[in-house]
Amino acid sequence: MKRILQVFILILVLAFSVTPSSAGQETDSCAEKGIIVKNMTMLDLWYKKNGGDCFIWVHDQVFFMKPEDVIEIFSDLTCKTSYCGKKTTYKDFKSFDKNGDCLVRILPNCDIADM
């Protein structure tokens, strides 16, 4: 009986040591599809993703932001006049997504808010 108890305890110890603990691990539910960013400024804006081409971002339209992306938002069609004053990263947008639905919006004066 003592031997069976020892084997059982050994199996339990091995089972818990081999299985990775999920405590402290936070998964990013938005990483695969990206965060949806909606233009709620009442203005048509323009943006560059990862230093690429300049695209129009019509009021009430969205674009997707992936973890590797860096966005610059502009107020002119030549992408010379910055609207937000700095490059915005995925982490910036993710920090405003309080309810975890991967939706944020840009309000006037480049204020970012959860949707």
Side-chain angles (χ1 to χ4, degrees):
M1 180 71 171
K2 188 176 182 181
R3 180 78 175 148
I4 293 173
L5 184 59
Q6 289 174 337
V7 170
F8 180 72
I9 291 172
L10 179 63
I11 290 172
L12 281 176
V13 168
L14 288 175
F16 284 111
S17 65
V18 172
T19 306
S21 172
S22 63
Q25 293 180 354
E26 202 174 302
T27 59
D28 183 358
S29 61
C30 301
E32 188 177 327
K33 290 184 179 180
I35 292 179
I36 298 169
V37 184
K38 188 170 187 175
N39 179 355
M40 301 292 289
T41 62
M42 302 300 289
L43 302 169
D44 290 345
L45 298 173
W46 288 261
Y47 71 96
K48 283 185 178 183
K49 187 183 286 189
N50 301 322
D53 292 335
C54 187
F55 294 98
I56 190 165
W57 188 24
V58 178
H59 166 70
D60 215 29
Q61 298 298 309
V62 301
F63 66 76
F64 290 84
M65 179 95 173
K66 298 279 192 152
E68 64 274 7
D69 292 337
V70 176
I71 300 292
E72 296 174 87
I73 301 173
F74 301 92
S75 60
D76 65 333
L77 66 110
T78 59
C79 287
K80 300 289 184 206
T81 307
S82 179
Y83 183 75
C84 289
K86 67 177 182 103
K87 295 180 180 180
T88 309
T89 65
Y90 174 86
K91 276 186 170 182
D92 295 330
F93 287 126
K94 181 70 177 150
S95 69
F96 286 93
D97 182 27
K98 302 300 180 198
N99 59 6
D101 64 356
C102 306
L103 297 166
V104 296
R105 59 189 168 180
I106 302 286
L107 299 169
N109 299 317
C110 201
D111 290 331
I112 304 170
D114 192 14
M115 254 185 2

